[in-house]
């Protein structure tokens, strides 16, 4: 199966699964560790992938949230993300996809303009988060945010759905989103 | 571009069903109670989760039943349509919130009313309890007084009886008899002496009528004897 669909499997009991897609292995691993350290009432499962499509041989649980990590320092990262986006089903973009731009702190190293990523997120109607994953403090905060979003996307928070959250996060100015 | 993505499963059961109770109480009973409470909370949480997930699936099913427009529209048109739909969603949300607020206010009123009534009931019950207490006290006091008066009357009666007995016994006592006998004896002796005096005066053939002292003795002696 080459396309990821959001609701093709039944959810695991008290389990929430997040898929981090990005080219920087070290950053992804660090982010995953920070997320797992978070105090959460549900079981967390973090999957890391360099790109989609994922091999269908592996038996994996239902994925609740996909985070595409784009490194603003490398054009290859953006290209990889755009390629992987093709393998995601359209219904995923109803709140279960998130873009994370890292490396914005060091302006001199950025080869991708911020506007590009903003447009990408706007095209896919998904929220865009900025975080310098190399800095421990920011990473921990971002991990916390992601855990909360993941809980909502997995349906563990009664009264709030992923779509609800998405519409809450949209601001009237357009494709720029501030905080959760 | 790599075809073979690397997959890493990092599982950690961050189960905070026992959050705060990891260093649990040493007593077994306490730990067991805590665990059963955890299970309850866990079950309730799972129930809420399952409900929410069911809702999501249902809404997806409903959404997929709607017919999507077949024609290929321009991107601008799609964006405009998306905006319209989003506005619809916002309006529905706002209306829902307003309704919820209205219901909540009514609910709040009812609950406040209930609370007030409960307070009133409790107060009245307290008052009636106090009054009953007072009644009980007064009854106790009355009983005590009755008992006291009973005992007093008993005492009086026994005293009276004692007095009567004493009196009777006094009358029947031996001493009184002896004293009475002595008295009788004395009276007899006095009578004899009186008679002796009378006879002396009469026998001496003195004109006792002329002398008032002698007259008094003779007449008085007669009287004395009669008075006994």
């Amino acid at each position: 199966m080459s396309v990821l669909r959001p609701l093709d499997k039944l959810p695991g009991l008290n389990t929430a699964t997040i898929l981090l897609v990005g080219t920087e292995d070290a950053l992804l691993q660090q982010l995953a560790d920070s997320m797992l350290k978070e105090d959460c009432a549900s079981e967390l499962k973090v999957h890391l992938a360099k790109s989609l499509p994922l091999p269908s041989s592996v038996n994996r649980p239902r994925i609740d949230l996909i985070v595409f990590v784009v490194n603003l320092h490398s054009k290859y990262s953006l290209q990889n993300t755009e390629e992987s986006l093709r393998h995601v089903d359209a219904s995923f973009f109803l709140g279960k996809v998130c873009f994370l731009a890292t490396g914005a702190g060091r302006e001199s190293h950025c080869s991708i303009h911020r506007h590009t990523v903003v447009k990408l997120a706007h095209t896919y109607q998904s929220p865009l988060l900025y975080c310098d994953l190399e800095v421990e403090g920011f990473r921990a905060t971002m991990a916390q945010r992601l855990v909360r979003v993941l809980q909502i996307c997995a349906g563990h928070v009664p009264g709030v759905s992923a779509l609800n959250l998405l519409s809450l996060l949209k601001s009237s100015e357009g494709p720029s989103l501030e905080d959760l | 571009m790599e075809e073979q993505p690397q997959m890493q499963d990092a599982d950690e059961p961050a189960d905070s069903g026992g959050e705060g109770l990891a260093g649990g109480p040493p007593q077994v009973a306490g730990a067991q109670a805590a665990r059963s409470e955890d299970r309850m909370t866990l079950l309730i949480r799972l129930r809420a989760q399952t409900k929410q997930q069911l809702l999501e699936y249902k809404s997806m099913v409903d959404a997929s039943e709607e017919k999507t427009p077949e024609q290929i529209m321009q991107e601008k048109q799609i964006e405009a349509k998306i905006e319209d739909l989003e506005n619809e969603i916002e309006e529905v949300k706002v209306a829902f919130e307003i309704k919820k607020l209205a219901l909540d206010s009514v609910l709040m009123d009812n609950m406040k009313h209930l609370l007030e009534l409960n307070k009133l009931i409790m107060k009245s019950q307290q008052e009636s309890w106090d009054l009953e207490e007072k009644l009980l006290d007064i009854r106790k006091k009355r009983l005590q007084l009755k008992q006291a008066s009973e005992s007093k009357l008993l005492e009086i009666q026994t005293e009276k009886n004692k007095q009567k007995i004493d009196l009777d016994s006094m009358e029947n006592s031996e001493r009184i008899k002896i004293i009475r006998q002595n008295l009788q004896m004395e009276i007899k002796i006095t009578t004899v002496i009186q008679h002796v005096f009378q006879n002396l005066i009469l026998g001496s053939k003195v004109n006792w009528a002329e002398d008032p002292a002698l007259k008094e003795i003779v007449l008085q002696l007669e009287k004395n004897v009669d008075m006994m």
Side-chain angles (χ1 to χ4, degrees):
Chain A
M1 60 152 184
S2 57
V3 174
L4 275 178
R5 287 182 216 282
L7 297 176
D8 56 350
K9 289 189 191 145
L10 288 177
L13 203 57
N14 207 27
T15 313
T17 313
I18 184 174
L19 175 65
L20 300 174
V21 178
T23 48
E24 320 280 323
D25 272 343
L27 290 180
L28 292 188
Q29 186 63 48
Q30 283 176 331
L31 184 60
D33 291 336
S34 309
M35 281 186 70
L36 288 171
K37 278 198 208 113
E38 280 297 316
D39 195 21
C40 178
S42 347
E43 272 187 40
L44 290 180
K45 289 201 175 149
V46 185
H47 289 227
L48 305 173
K50 267 217 149 74
S51 69
L52 299 173
L54 302 172
S56 45
S57 53
V58 180
N59 184 21
R60 73 179 66 84
R62 177 185 90 146
I63 293 181
D64 298 310
L65 177 63
I66 303 181
V67 180
F68 288 100
V69 180
V70 179
N71 191 353
L72 291 179
H73 298 177
S74 85
K75 287 208 169 83
Y76 169 61
S77 163
L78 182 64
Q79 216 183 0
N80 184 31
T81 312
E82 282 174 354
E83 285 284 330
S84 314
L85 275 166
R86 288 204 212 116
H87 296 274
V88 178
D89 186 47
S91 42
F92 241 117
F93 292 101
L94 293 172
K96 298 204 176 187
V97 167
C98 189
F99 290 97
L100 180 60
T102 179
R106 290 189 286 173
E107 195 62 41
S108 51
H109 290 240
C110 285
S111 53
I112 308 175
H113 198 270
R114 201 187 68 123
H115 186 69
T116 323
V117 191
V118 165
K119 217 171 72 131
L120 179 69
H122 183 58
T123 322
Y124 285 98
Q125 303 279 333
S126 300
L128 171 64
L129 305 169
Y130 292 97
C131 176
D132 249 336
L133 286 179
E134 287 150 26
V135 183
E136 171 70 40
F138 299 160
R139 198 169 57 231
T141 321
M142 183 52 60
Q144 212 180 31
R145 278 188 190 168
L146 285 177
V147 164
R148 301 280 176 265
V149 176
L150 174 62
Q151 275 192 303
I152 292 175
C153 291
H156 290 191
V157 178
V160 187
S161 72
L163 202 52
N164 202 351
L165 184 64
L166 186 63
S167 66
L168 275 177
L169 290 178
K170 282 215 206 294
S171 68
S172 53
E173 300 163 5
S176 81
L177 120 76
E178 290 311 296
D179 45 28
L180 254 71
Chain B
M1 189 168 75
E2 288 184 274
E3 289 291 340
Q4 203 55 270
Q6 292 175 4
M7 287 266 297
Q8 268 171 324
D9 259 353
D11 289 352
E12 181 173 305
D15 183 15
S16 83
E19 58 179 314
L21 293 167
Q27 300 107 338
V28 177
Q32 275 183 350
R35 251 178 281 145
S36 64
E37 251 185 65
D38 296 340
R39 281 192 216 120
M40 276 302 291
T41 358
L42 181 66
L43 281 174
I44 291 173
R45 208 158 36 86
L46 288 178
R47 179 172 173 268
Q49 277 179 14
T50 324
K51 258 185 163 181
Q52 179 73 16
Q53 285 166 346
L54 178 65
L55 190 65
E56 278 178 22
Y57 276 100
K58 264 191 189 171
S59 62
M60 283 298 275
V61 167
D62 286 339
S64 60
E65 279 173 3
E66 265 191 36
K67 286 210 336 210
T68 45
E70 295 291 339
Q71 72 249 65
I72 300 170
M73 291 197 275
Q74 290 269 341
E75 189 170 315
K76 286 266 161 106
Q77 285 180 337
I78 291 180
E79 282 192 3
K81 247 211 158 172
I82 289 175
E83 262 193 58
D84 289 338
L85 289 171
E86 279 177 0
N87 286 342
E88 255 190 68
I89 291 178
E90 288 295 316
E91 280 174 22
V92 170
K93 265 202 216 173
V94 166
F96 174 68
E97 289 289 321
I98 291 177
K99 276 190 203 160
K100 209 164 77 149
L101 273 175
L103 275 177
D104 276 347
S105 71
V106 171
L107 197 70
M108 277 297 125
D109 281 343
N110 282 351
M111 280 181 61
K112 275 190 201 155
H113 199 54
L114 262 174
L115 272 173
E116 281 177 20
L117 285 174
N118 277 352
K119 270 192 213 161
L120 216 63
I121 288 174
M122 274 174 60
K123 230 178 19 171
S124 318
Q125 277 189 344
Q126 183 73 16
E127 278 176 19
S128 71
W129 194 73
D130 289 338
L131 286 174
E132 275 188 21
E133 284 267 313
K134 277 191 196 159
L135 194 66
L136 209 65
D137 284 340
I138 290 178
R139 278 199 188 146
K140 271 193 216 165
K141 275 190 197 154
R142 197 166 77 171
L143 190 69
Q144 281 175 357
L145 281 174
K146 260 197 188 173
Q147 285 176 342
S149 67
E150 211 182 284
S151 66
K152 282 281 179 276
L153 283 173
L154 210 65
E155 265 180 47
I156 291 173
Q157 227 180 24
T158 43
E159 281 295 321
K160 266 199 188 163
N161 286 347
K162 248 198 330 192
Q163 275 185 5
K164 221 168 75 164
I165 289 172
D166 281 349
L167 213 60
D168 287 344
S169 67
M170 264 191 7
E171 288 183 355
N172 297 339
S173 79
E174 290 296 320
R175 266 176 56 205
I176 292 186
K177 281 189 186 151
I178 294 173
I179 290 171
R180 277 219 186 103
Q181 280 176 1
N182 287 348
L183 192 62
Q184 296 280 1
M185 189 74 72
E186 294 294 323
I187 290 173
K188 282 183 191 157
I189 293 174
T190 321
T191 323
V192 165
I193 294 174
Q194 276 180 359
H195 286 169
V196 164
F197 272 142
Q198 276 178 344
N199 291 335
L200 269 177
I201 295 174
L202 287 175
S204 66
K205 297 201 195 237
V206 171
N207 197 359
W208 53 271
E210 289 177 357
D211 195 353
L214 291 176
K215 197 163 94 176
E216 197 186 314
I217 290 173
V218 173
L219 291 178
Q220 205 180 37
L221 290 179
E222 291 292 335
K223 270 203 201 138
N224 280 348
V225 174
D226 288 340
M227 266 169 54
M228 293 296 43

